Amino acid sequence: MNVRQKKQEMIEAMNRARALEPSSFVPNKLLDTLIAKLNLKNDAELCRVLEVQPPIVSKIRHRKLAVGATILLRMHEKSDMSIRDLKELAIDSMH
């Protein structure tokens, strides 16, 4: 692999990493979609369904906490949405 290819590979890796930065994280779309799909009324009901404490969902909604693997799996199990779809909902389409 030549220097040019290595540079291009590093740029692509940086772009992939940038897509996962907190600035591109849009939790409201993810949480609101889950609430609608599960026919829930609010975040409190979502907390009960996902079996998490209300501060967890509140911190996610206010971008103080990222969606971790455990809660992502619970969202997948309860909604039957694919992990990929859930992740795409949480990433700003502008990035």
Side-chain angles (χ1 to χ4, degrees):
M1 181 180 300
N2 66 32
V3 174
R4 187 177 198 166
Q5 290 171 324
K6 285 183 181 181
K7 183 178 178 182
Q8 184 61 35
E9 191 173 293
M10 292 216 12
I11 290 170
E12 289 172 6
M14 288 171 50
N15 287 336
R16 285 192 302 272
R18 192 173 293 126
L20 299 175
E21 288 178 354
S23 63
S24 64
F25 178 58
V26 184
N28 290 340
K29 185 175 177 184
L30 171 63
L31 297 174
D32 292 343
T33 300
L34 282 170
I35 288 170
K37 181 161 179 64
L38 298 172
N39 296 315
L40 305 174
K41 294 180 183 176
N42 52 36
D43 286 352
E45 285 189 4
L46 182 61
C47 291
R48 285 190 284 276
V49 169
L50 296 178
E51 300 172 11
V52 297
Q53 295 296 315
I56 301 295
V57 170
S58 177
K59 286 178 182 177
I60 290 171
R61 188 171 289 280
H62 293 97
R63 295 181 179 202
K64 299 197 188 280
L65 181 67
V67 177
T70 303
I71 196 162
L72 186 64
L73 283 171
R74 286 186 187 172
M75 290 174 173
H76 162 68
E77 289 170 350
K78 301 298 181 176
S79 69
D80 289 328
M81 294 177 71
S82 72
I83 298 289
R84 175 173 287 187
D85 289 344
L86 291 167
K87 282 177 147 179
E88 287 177 2
L89 284 171
I91 300 295
D92 185 2
S93 60
M94 298 299 287
H95 283 70

